Amino acid sequence: MTTAALVVAAGRGTRAQGTSSLPKQYAEIGGRPLLWHAVSAFSGHNLISHVVVAIGTDDGARYEAAIGQATAKLRPPVIGGATRQSSVLAGLEALATLQPGKVLIHDAARPFVSAETISRVIAALDDHAGAIAAVPLADTLKRASPSGIIAETLERGNLWRAQTPQGFRFASILEAHRQAAAAGLTGLTDDAAVAEWRGLEVALVEDLGSNVKLTTADDLAAADLKLRSAMATGMETRTASGFDVHRFADGDHVWLGGVRIAHTHRLEGHSDADVVLHALTDALLGTIGAGDIGHHFPPSDPKWKGAPSHIFLDHAAALIRARGGRIVNVDVTILAEAPKVGPHRSAMQAEIGRVLGLSADRIGIKATTTEGLGFTGRREGIAAMATATVLLPAAAGEGSTA
Ligand code: MG
């Protein structure tokens, strides 16, 4: 039975951002948007088959910058509604064609949900129509009179704080949400309440992690500090360079940074001869001591004839990911008299960003002529040099000899 995940990120919660209009799910903690952390927890979980995110009407560009393009597992986002309930229904309808057996619904504001909690909620759905992550109440609860005087002390023995993910058998929760919408109910604040209203049995699964909800600016700052200090203690920084040259031949376009650019010549090479992506691939391989592009994709192998060079870049990025690494930024300088690079800079950033999962501000694209000097000055070819910085778990490498 497959399990899908629906991450709810349609809220306008700008309270955490003060006067800024940036919804808090796009605020960065540990160098990544809050939403990225929440989505990654599910897209990286081996029991989750599909992930869809419900986003705000105006957040399409923000979503794409934060999460990137759709993949087989990560479906295109859906536009949510005015209330959390309507956003969830929109997400469930989008998942319906995939016919998952179970679905986990999660708030984007909980970026630290653990893989263990996700697994436990999924497992509980074997025995119950619904199961939600929750924490037994530690504080004593008081009911206040209108004047702020304690009217009653509540028995806390059986009280829990509801969290997310909230998991359900898919068909049951879709039907419950459709019925609730049809009945005009709009004030149900979580999905368990929708399920309860339909008489479904919902189990409580104790969350043992630190699955906190980030609400205020202070919450975000504390989470950012926590992530950054964890990263700084466990990770080491690696920087490496790459360089590539291809000569001109008869033709009418060149490939630079994954972008096809009309030109008086083409660049000669076994692949598409994209010097920018080749230099970048070598820089990335350099950060993990993994040789160079020719070592991984021998020019003698006919398989790579005419190959689009994003394949090489993707391979280098996958090797870094496989070591638990994260690319921080990349930077390229193109040496050429022509073509002009400026008009194509943002297209190159978009293409490289798509392959590496980086935002444009982490991708430097610069160009210079060589004042008519040397082989690039004589317009015999184009050269590119690149630098990449990655964070790598310190234990994953050979280790320091110190
Ligand atoms: Mg090359």
Side-chain angles (χ1 to χ4, degrees):
M1 186 183 279
T2 60
T3 303
L6 167 59
V7 177
V8 188
R12 304 310 304 166
T14 53
R15 171 157 64 118
Q17 292 291 299
T19 55
S20 148
S21 63
L22 183 72
K24 74 167 180 226
Q25 56 271 35
Y26 296 99
E28 289 199 352
I29 56 169
R32 295 278 200 178
L34 201 54
L35 178 60
W36 182 89
H37 294 279
V39 169
S40 298
F42 291 89
S43 62
H45 196 287
N46 62 4
L47 294 179
I48 300 289
S49 61
H50 295 98
V51 180
V52 72
V53 182
I55 65 172
T57 320
D58 304 325
D59 292 343
R62 283 192 188 111
Y63 173 87
E64 179 141 355
I67 305 297
Q69 296 193 339
T71 64
K73 188 167 185 175
L74 180 63
R75 312 298 293 181
V78 299
I79 302 297
T83 62
R84 186 182 184 287
Q85 211 180 312
S86 57
S87 296
V88 170
L89 179 55
L92 293 174
E93 296 286 4
L95 284 167
T97 54
L98 300 168
Q99 298 186 303
K102 304 172 181 176
V103 63
L104 266 53
I105 302 168
H106 186 70
D107 285 340
R110 294 185 190 272
F112 299 129
V113 57
S114 68
E116 173 66 16
T117 294
I118 293 171
S119 300
R120 286 165 59 120
V121 171
I122 293 172
L125 293 174
D126 289 342
D127 300 320
H128 308 279
I132 71 167
V135 179
L137 203 69
D139 302 317
T140 298
L141 285 190
K142 307 287 187 187
R143 189 192 302 283
S145 72
S147 55
I149 303 299
I150 293 173
E152 185 188 1
T153 296
L154 299 176
E155 170 55 52
R156 76 173 181 212
N158 292 314
L159 291 178
W160 294 63
R161 287 188 291 124
Q163 300 186 337
T164 68
Q166 302 198 341
F168 306 91
R169 308 238 178 95
F170 184 79
S172 305
I173 195 67
L174 176 59
E175 192 269 347
H177 263 284
R178 282 175 175 167
Q179 294 293 333
L185 284 176
T186 53
L188 301 173
T189 52
D190 72 353
D191 304 291
V194 177
E196 293 157 43
W197 172 73
R198 288 299 286 169
L200 300 175
E201 182 189 77
V202 182
L204 293 159
V205 174
E206 185 168 355
D207 191 320
L208 303 173
S210 55
N211 187 13
V212 291
K213 185 171 191 171
L214 307 185
T215 305
T216 65
D218 283 348
D219 294 343
L220 289 173
D224 184 48
L225 193 63
K226 174 180 154 182
L227 277 180
R228 284 184 189 282
S229 59
M231 277 157 41
T233 51
M235 306 289 268
E236 63 183 36
T237 306
R238 305 272 189 98
T239 302
S241 68
F243 180 75
D244 194 35
V245 175
H246 282 264
R247 68 168 70 238
F248 282 129
D250 288 340
D252 62 3
H253 69 275
V254 295
W255 286 94
L256 289 177
V259 176
R260 190 186 198 273
I261 300 173
H263 192 51
T264 53
H265 294 80
R266 71 180 168 87
L267 288 172
E268 195 171 68
H270 190 63
S271 65
D272 63 9
D274 189 326
V275 287
V276 171
L277 297 193
H278 293 184
L280 210 45
T281 301
D282 270 358
L284 289 172
L285 291 173
T287 64
I288 52 171
D292 58 25
I293 194 169
H295 171 75
H296 292 268
F297 303 95
S300 55
D301 189 337
K303 193 161 63 171
W304 311 118
K305 181 151 181 52
S309 295
H310 64 75
I311 293 173
F312 312 146
L313 191 63
D314 188 49
H315 178 72
L319 291 177
I320 290 166
R321 274 198 306 275
R323 297 186 183 207
R326 184 160 85 76
I327 302 167
V328 177
N329 76 304
V330 296
D331 187 51
V332 181
T333 300
I334 300 165
L335 293 84
E337 299 296 319
K340 285 213 177 308
V341 167
H344 307 285
R345 178 176 289 116
S346 41
M348 292 183 198
Q349 287 175 312
E351 176 62 12
I352 293 166
R354 181 186 69 79
V355 177
L356 299 182
L358 291 178
S359 55
D361 70 321
R362 294 172 187 272
I363 303 166
I365 302 285
K366 298 171 275 81
T368 182
T369 71
T370 51
E371 299 282 340
L373 300 171
F375 67 85
T376 53
R378 292 190 298 272
R379 299 173 186 256
E380 293 168 3
I382 296 181
M385 48 196 203
T387 309
T389 302
V390 308
L391 285 174
L392 216 60
E398 296 298 302
S400 163
T401 54

